[in-house]
Amino acid sequence: MSGTRLLLIGPPGAGKGTQAVILASTYKIPAISTGDIFRSNVANETELGLQVKAIMAAGEYVPDSLTNAVVESRLSESDAKAGFLLDGYPRTTDQVHELDRMLTAHGTALSVVVLITADTDEVVSRLLNRAGVEGRADDTETVIRHRLALYEEQTAPLIALYAARNWVVTVDGLGAVDDVTSRIVSALATKGIAAPAA
């Protein structure tokens, strides 16, 4: 495994999904979103999808063992050999160690962790707006604020762990999509990562 291996971290509503698609295209690497993988399996009613659907219906997080297996399987696919962008994984310190194990087995490691920050009130209004547009009735302000609190509680230790390895670049996620992309591309350049020529 060679190439650029990015991890996007940021609170729900910070624009990770949007940036993941743009960055994957810019750096010519697949965007791997555990959320997308799970949703696709649920929609196609695969064996994994049925398991995940039952867990999500109960309002629980998909357990690490299942998430790790899905990621490991996806990273072993041929298109991920030349690099990848992870969005939504790892979420816990246990998952960080599991990802380390997977990558070490392939003789590689992450290149950079991009931390996208966003003001909480701005994120809440973004998510409430998205809930209205997409008809997500379960995305109330109380639920959104709970998810943000959970993110802070679970993800802060990950950021500290990666910062200790000097892998983190922090980018402001507020503003126009193109502006945020430009900030990320500039931040990656400081780590020696340039987009391949078109």
Side-chain angles (χ1 to χ4, degrees):
M1 256 190 208
S2 60
T4 301
R5 294 166 304 280
L6 303 178
L7 165 60
L8 288 191
I9 291 183
K16 292 189 304 301
T18 302
Q19 292 299 331
V21 172
I22 298 168
L23 294 169
S25 170
T26 303
Y27 292 93
K28 298 179 172 47
I29 50 177
I32 300 172
S33 157
T34 47
D36 288 350
I37 292 170
F38 289 144
R39 280 188 287 275
S40 157
N41 277 277
V42 168
N44 294 319
E45 298 189 334
T46 64
E47 189 179 333
L48 170 67
L50 295 173
Q51 273 181 282
V52 169
K53 190 175 182 179
I55 294 163
M56 286 161 68
E60 302 292 328
Y61 267 143
V62 177
D64 281 4
S65 55
L66 204 54
T67 308
N68 294 337
V70 164
V71 171
E72 187 154 26
S73 167
R74 182 64 186 85
L75 289 180
S76 67
E77 291 179 28
S78 58
D79 67 337
K81 298 274 189 287
F84 54 80
L85 182 153
L86 283 172
D87 166 23
Y89 179 93
R91 281 184 193 272
T92 64
T93 48
D94 284 349
Q95 288 180 357
V96 168
H97 298 310
E98 188 57 22
L99 179 61
D100 285 345
R101 182 196 64 73
M102 292 176 209
L103 295 178
T104 301
H106 289 285
T108 187
L110 286 173
S111 309
V112 178
V113 175
V114 179
L115 172 60
I116 300 178
T117 60
D119 175 73
T120 301
D121 290 336
E122 175 68 25
V123 163
V124 169
S125 78
R126 261 190 202 182
L127 289 173
L128 285 171
N129 186 41
R130 185 171 81 184
V133 171
E134 296 180 9
R136 297 187 187 191
D138 56 338
D139 270 4
T140 63
E141 182 164 347
T142 309
V143 168
I144 290 168
R145 288 194 182 273
H146 173 69
R147 278 169 52 208
L148 289 168
L150 207 59
Y151 161 79
E152 287 297 338
E153 180 188 309
Q154 294 192 338
T155 314
L158 271 64
I159 296 161
L161 215 153
Y162 283 130
R165 301 177 187 180
N166 196 30
W167 289 358
V168 178
V169 294
T170 304
V171 175
D172 180 3
L174 296 182
V177 169
D178 290 353
D179 292 344
V180 177
T181 305
S182 296
R183 284 177 217 145
I184 295 173
V185 169
S186 298
L188 290 175
T190 68
K191 292 288 189 181
I193 295 174

